[in-house]
Amino acid sequence: MSDRAPAGQFLDAAIDLLRRVRDEEADSVTAAGTLLADTVENGGRLFAFGAGHSSLAAQDLVYRAGGLALMNLLAVPGVVGVDVMPAPLGSALERVDGLASAVLDSSPLRADDALLIISLSGRNALPVEMAMNARARGVRVIGVTSVAYASETESRHSSGTYLKDHCDLVLDSKIAVGDAELTLDNVPAPFAPASTVVTSALLQAVMATTAATLADRGLEPPLLRSGNVDGGHDWNGRVMERYRDRIFYRH
């Protein structure tokens, strides 16, 4: 570790990862944005799922200023963020076989919808089965993961596969296994995770591509405005009324 302060080192590491994502994932981002634009244009619905801290990036897409109004959170009780108590239960639920199928059975997802599945490791049963079962139902799946985990860890799903193996498109966050950017000689564990910063930025790049692609086709992107600017609530009310059959977070 260099003599530079840890804060600066972390920010530099995050910037380097963002540059890698920008340069190495450009084609995948374009493809993902196009897939979502196709879904919107064809009357489909958009959903995002993540477990644990991966859920933070999924939630960042839903009902937010500057975001697509059609993005819905596919919530799994006990794994949405770290709200479950005790917190380790959320990690345990990610490894339960059959949970994804039960969630999809009770969800509004249908054929020709699109689902973003966010899982840093992509190795647990929940995201793997979520992708497998969603695609079997005709849903288009975009996986957001660190591909490195597939070569450096063992799958926890009975198939021996990872999230990346069951997606129409994969976005690689480039996060190193362990999700910690810094080390110090007098600190026994690596620290300073960057996955939330990078994954959220990667997904917002996809959303930007989706909006611009729709506009290029002569279609108005269904975007929300900030409720903290004059006229924002009225704008959002009109958008949500227009697309009420494709928005599930307002009921």
Side-chain angles (χ1 to χ4, degrees):
M1 193 163 177
S2 72
D3 294 333
R4 188 167 185 184
Q9 291 191 42
F10 172 75
L11 291 171
D12 285 345
I15 290 167
D16 287 344
L17 284 164
L18 289 170
R19 285 178 173 146
R20 282 192 64 196
V21 165
R22 179 196 63 193
D23 297 340
E24 298 174 20
E25 295 299 297
D27 290 344
S28 296
V29 167
T30 298
T34 301
L35 187 155
L36 295 184
D38 291 343
T39 303
V40 172
E41 184 175 6
N42 295 329
R45 293 88 57 80
L46 308 179
F47 295 84
F49 165 76
H53 285 92
S54 290
S55 181
L56 299 178
Q59 293 178 59
D60 188 52
L61 301 177
V62 179
Y63 185 56
R64 67 156 304 134
L68 292 171
L70 303 191
M71 186 60 69
N72 300 279
L73 185 67
L74 183 63
V76 178
V79 301
V80 181
V82 289
D83 58 330
V84 65
M85 292 296 172
L89 175 60
S91 298
L93 289 172
E94 290 185 61
R95 305 175 192 180
V96 174
D97 292 338
L99 180 57
S101 180
V103 169
L104 289 173
D105 284 343
S106 61
S107 80
L109 266 168
R110 66 188 185 194
D112 299 323
D113 288 346
L115 172 62
L116 289 154
I117 300 179
I118 303 149
S119 173
L120 178 60
S121 72
R123 68 188 295 221
N124 289 309
L126 183 55
V128 173
E129 290 185 355
M130 187 75 75
M132 293 173 66
N133 293 342
R135 290 185 82 194
R137 297 163 192 244
V139 175
R140 302 293 300 279
V141 174
I142 299 172
V144 188
T145 187
S146 171
V147 171
Y149 276 83
S151 59
E152 299 182 38
T153 67
E154 292 185 6
S155 170
R156 288 179 173 145
H157 187 253
S158 58
S159 67
T161 61
Y162 298 78
L163 169 62
K164 73 175 186 64
D165 299 317
H166 304 284
C167 299
D168 295 280
L169 289 169
V170 174
L171 299 172
D172 184 2
S173 64
K174 316 294 181 182
I175 300 295
V177 173
D179 192 16
E181 294 298 320
L182 303 184
T183 59
L184 282 173
D185 291 342
N186 60 348
V187 176
F191 59 101
S195 61
T196 303
V197 173
V198 176
T199 303
S200 292
L202 181 55
L203 286 167
Q204 291 299 345
V206 172
M207 297 302 111
T209 303
T210 302
T213 300
L214 288 168
D216 287 344
R217 296 176 183 178
L219 303 170
E220 181 181 333
L223 295 169
L224 296 173
R225 292 190 175 189
S226 172
N228 295 312
V229 299
D230 291 343
H233 286 301
D234 291 338
W235 170 280
N236 293 341
R238 289 191 294 271
V239 171
M240 287 190 281
E241 179 60 28
R242 178 179 177 183
Y243 294 98
R244 62 184 306 167
D245 61 329
R246 298 156 75 178
I247 295 174
F248 301 94
Y249 53 79
R250 66 192 299 267
H251 303 300

